[in-house]
Amino acid sequence: MDYYAVIGNPISHSLSPFIHHAFAKQTQQQLKYEAIQVVPEALFKMLSWLKEKKVRGINITLPLKRQAFQWVDKATQRARHAQAINMIKFLESGRSIGDNTDGVGFIRDLDRQFGFSLKNKKVLLLGAGGAAHGILPAILNEFPHGVTIWNRTESRARELVNQFSLQWSHAIDLRVDSNQSVQASHFDILINATSAGIKKEHLMLPAHLINPDVFCYDLSYGDAASPFLECAKKAHARACSDGLGMLVEQAAESFREWRGIQPDIQPVLEQLRKKLKI
Ligand code: NAP
C-alpha cells in the first residue's frame, strides 16, 4: 500500500482525504491518504519523519506552503515562481520534489466552469499569503491587462509584487494598492485569496467594488466562502464561484503527478457538493 498525507493547521476541515480516496477508487489505485495537523514550529521535523516512513507524497495547506518550499531538495519552475508549495513527491531515491498545483487548478476551474479567460482582464487579487503566491504565476501566464494586489498588511503585498515584478513587470501592470485607490478602480475579476472567511473574520471591502460587470471568485468554499459570495450576489456580480472546483482540480494535478493517471474531476466534484450540501 502507498501512503500519502495532507498537512496543515487547522486540518480537520480538509477534504483532501475524501478527494484522493475517490480518485483512487475511480482509477483503481491502492493507496491510503491521511490528514495530519502540523504547526509551523514542527513542520521540518514532521516532513523528515514522513520521508523516513517512506510516504510517497504530501499535500501542504495553510499556513505551511511557503515554509515547506524551504525544505524540499528540488522545486518545479512553477513552485520556484510561487516560492510556495502545496505538494511534495518523493522519488525512489528519497529525493523530494516540491510543486505548486494551486495555479493550474484555479485557471482550469475558471475555464471548465465559465470558459472565462484572464487574457486582457483587470484582476484584483485579495490576499498575499500562500494561496496568492501559488496562483499569481498562473494568473500572469494568462497575460491579464493588469493585476492589483490588495492585502490587509500592505508590506506583504509589496513583498509579493517585488518577488514577481522582475520577471513580469514588462508585460503587465502589477501593483500594490492601498484601500483608497482600490475604491476608485474598475476590475473584471475579484479573487478572494484571503483566509478571512475560514477564520470567520470580516473582510473589509468597499461595497461598490462589486458591480454587474465583475466576476467574483473565492478560493475558499462552504461557510468560509459565504460572506464574500453573498456580497457578490447582492451586488448582482456578473458571476461568482467558490473554490471547490479549484480544490478538486489542484488535487487532480497532484494525483496525476504521483500516480501518472489523470482522474475525472466532475464525478468527484458532484459527490463533494452533495456531501457538503453546497
Ligand atoms: P495564509 O498563507 O495564511 O494567508 C492568509 C491571507 O489572508 C493573508 O494575506 C492575510 O493577510 C489575509 N487575511 C487573513 N485574515 C484576514 C482578514 N480578517 N481580513 C483581510 N485579510 C485577511 O493562507 P493561504 O494559504 O493563502 O489561504 C488563503 C485561503 O485560500 C484559505 O481560505 C484557503 O482555504 C484558500 N485556498 C483554497 C484553495 C483551493 O484549492 N480552493 C487552495 C489554496 C488556498 P495578512 O498578510 O494581513 O495577514
Side-chain angles (χ1 to χ4, degrees), residues 77-78 81 103-104 107 117-119 134-144 147 164 167-168 171-172:
Q77 190 189 49
R78 57 192 178 190
H81 284 153
V104 75
I107 299 292
S117 159
L118 293 175
K119 192 167 165 55
I135 64 172
L136 190 53
I139 292 172
L140 294 171
N141 275 333
E142 297 293 303
F143 296 100
V147 179
F164 283 86
Q167 187 168 352
W168 271 287
I172 56 141

Side-chain angles (χ1 to χ4, degrees), residues 6-267:
V6 58
I7 58 172
N9 185 33
I11 201 67
S12 57
H13 70 286
S14 176
L15 297 171
S16 294
F18 179 93
I19 296 171
H20 282 278
H21 285 136
F23 286 160
K25 195 171 170 203
Q26 186 196 95
T27 58
Q28 291 157 359
Q29 301 282 298
Q30 297 292 315
L31 61 86
K32 201 155 185 256
Y33 186 110
E34 280 175 31
I36 306 171
Q37 183 165 0
V38 179
V39 294
E41 306 76 60
L43 174 64
F44 292 166
K45 215 170 163 186
M46 176 56 84
L47 288 171
S48 301
W49 184 79
L50 289 168
K51 178 180 168 172
E52 256 173 50
K53 292 285 164 202
K54 302 248 180 294
V55 163
R56 299 287 301 273
I58 304 170
N59 281 129
I60 297 112
T61 187
L62 91 171
L64 308 172
K65 293 179 182 183
R66 298 185 67 197
Q67 197 186 341
F69 173 75
Q70 310 298 330
W71 183 84
V72 288
D73 295 315
K74 205 179 156 199
T76 60
Q77 190 189 49
R78 57 192 178 190
R80 287 199 305 277
H81 284 153
Q83 304 265 299
I85 58 172
N86 72 337
M87 78 88 105
I88 295 173
K89 175 181 177 171
F90 288 105
L91 305 179
E92 289 296 333
S93 62
R95 269 172 73 77
S96 52
I97 313 290
D99 195 7
N100 197 313
T101 65
D102 279 343
V104 75
F106 170 66
I107 299 292
R108 280 185 193 156
D109 191 45
L110 273 185
D111 181 46
R112 187 185 48 79
Q113 283 200 80
F114 304 100
F116 189 92
S117 159
L118 293 175
K119 192 167 165 55
N120 292 328
K121 299 292 193 312
K122 290 184 182 166
V123 179
L124 175 60
L125 177 59
L126 308 168
H133 277 77
I135 64 172
L136 190 53
I139 292 172
L140 294 171
N141 275 333
E142 297 293 303
F143 296 100
H145 179 275
V147 179
T148 299
I149 306 199
W150 175 89
N151 194 47
R152 181 179 58 181
T153 311
E154 194 176 312
S155 59
R156 291 213 186 100
R158 255 176 224 296
E159 268 172 41
L160 182 58
V161 168
N162 289 341
Q163 182 183 319
F164 283 86
S165 44
L166 260 185
Q167 187 168 352
W168 271 287
S169 66
H170 59 287
I172 56 141
D173 168 28
L174 182 63
R175 61 201 167 97
V176 176
D177 230 317
S178 70
N179 223 1
Q180 288 304 314
S181 48
V182 162
Q183 288 184 38
S185 308
H186 168 79
F187 299 96
D188 298 301
I189 179 166
L190 260 65
I191 304 164
N192 183 13
T194 74
S195 57
I198 209 168
K199 289 171 25 195
K200 297 190 181 0
E201 290 175 4
H202 187 61
L203 179 63
M204 295 283 285
L205 263 191
H208 67 271
L209 264 185
I210 305 177
N211 59 55
D213 296 326
V214 176
F215 186 100
C216 294
Y217 193 104
D218 196 320
L219 263 56
S220 53
Y221 41 82
D223 290 345
S226 295
F228 182 73
L229 295 183
E230 271 163 25
C231 193
K233 279 178 197 152
K234 253 190 218 155
H236 304 289
R238 180 176 153 194
C240 50
S241 176
D242 65 13
L244 199 65
M246 170 181 165
L247 181 79
V248 182
E249 291 279 7
Q250 62 78 28
E253 181 73 358
S254 292
F255 190 89
R256 189 184 63 76
E257 289 196 17
W258 288 331
R259 310 297 301 183
I261 298 175
Q262 178 70 44
D264 184 1
I265 77 130
Q266 198 58 36

